[in-house]
């Protein structure tokens, strides 16, 4: 049923959905910069500015497509059959596995594959709990779309804004222990 995908605005959850990924990444990358585990790259930070509208549109489009499936359809269906916690966990596991082909197709330039996939899985499953909670609580898919898009935008900017050293890939980005 297309109507049951959660089209209501979920307005009370939109601001936390926008700020949480940016705040978490700001903290992790800030610690990396202050700890000298990579340095701030002002050129990289400004490189994306002329392309922001394109990047915002693209990340929102992809986030919308994924979230219609994961939080719009899957989470409510799972929550009817199991507890909300189990629904969140299973949606997170499936969401992580969905992304695994990217690790095998592309050299992401990060830590060793097993470490990166493990950290990515922990991050995605952890995020799935917050996203499932927002979806079920707000009866809206939009907070999940905003969170996912804000995460993708923030990771794009922060990854462009750091000059890594040998330890940086183990700490930051989607394959580091920080997120």
């Amino acid at each position: 049923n297309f109507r049951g995908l959660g089209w209501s605005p979920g307005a009370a959850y939109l601001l936390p959905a926008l700020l949480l990924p940016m705040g978490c990444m700001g903290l992790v990358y800030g610690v990396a910069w202050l700890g000298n585990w990579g340095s701030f790259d002002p050129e990289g930070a400004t490189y994306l500015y002329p392309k922001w509208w394109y990047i915002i549109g693209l990340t929102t489009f992809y986030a919308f497509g994924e979230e219609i499936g994961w939080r719009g359809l899957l989470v409510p269906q799972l929550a009817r059959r199991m507890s909300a916690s189990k629904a969140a966990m299973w949606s997170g596991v499936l969401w992580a596995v969905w992304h695994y082909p990217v690790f095998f197709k592309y050299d992401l330039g990060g830590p060793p594959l097993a470490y990166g996939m493990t950290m990515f899985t922990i991050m995605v499953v952890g995020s799935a709990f917050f996203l499932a909670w927002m979806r079920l609580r707000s009866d809206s898919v939009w907070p999940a779309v905003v969170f996912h898009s804000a995460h993708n935008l923030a990771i794009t900017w922060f990854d462009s804004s750091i000059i890594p050293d040998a330890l940086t890939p183990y700490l930051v980005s989607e394959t580091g222990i920080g997120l």
Side-chain angles (χ1 to χ4, degrees):
N1 180 352
F2 196 66
R3 278 183 260 172
L5 294 179
W7 298 111
S8 65
Y13 298 88
L14 295 176
L15 188 59
L18 178 67
L19 297 179
L20 185 65
M22 293 181 183
C24 288
M25 284 184 218
L27 179 65
V28 169
Y29 281 78
V31 167
W33 290 323
L34 292 172
N36 288 321
W37 298 302
S39 55
F40 181 72
D41 180 7
E43 188 176 316
T46 59
Y47 171 75
L48 295 173
Y49 289 154
K51 303 171 187 162
W52 269 118
W53 289 114
Y54 170 75
I55 294 168
I56 289 170
L58 195 61
T59 59
T60 303
F61 175 76
Y62 285 126
F64 177 75
E66 280 193 53
E67 293 307 327
I68 288 296
W70 300 126
R71 260 52 69 176
L73 179 64
L74 182 63
V75 165
Q77 291 297 318
L78 289 175
R80 287 187 187 123
R81 291 166 176 75
M82 59 187 68
S83 70
S85 294
K86 285 184 181 178
M89 185 201 58
W90 283 111
S91 70
V93 168
L94 291 169
W95 189 26
V97 171
W98 165 265
H99 286 90
Y100 284 178
V102 172
F103 286 91
F104 297 111
K105 181 169 171 96
Y106 302 104
D107 176 12
L108 301 177
L113 183 63
Y115 177 88
M117 288 178 76
T118 301
M119 294 301 109
F120 178 81
T121 301
I122 291 168
M123 179 202 61
V124 167
V125 172
S127 296
F129 276 87
F130 181 66
L131 294 170
W133 176 79
M134 282 194 306
R135 168 61 174 98
L136 296 171
R137 187 82 178 200
S138 70
D139 197 32
S140 175
V141 72
W142 293 111
V145 171
V146 169
F147 179 97
H148 194 153
S149 185
H151 169 90
N152 289 349
L153 285 167
I155 204 74
T156 300
W157 186 81
F158 279 108
D159 279 354
S160 299
S161 302
I162 195 162
I163 300 170
D165 69 8
L167 193 56
T168 307
Y170 292 89
L171 303 173
V172 301
S173 199
E174 293 182 316
T175 56
I177 197 166
L179 294 179

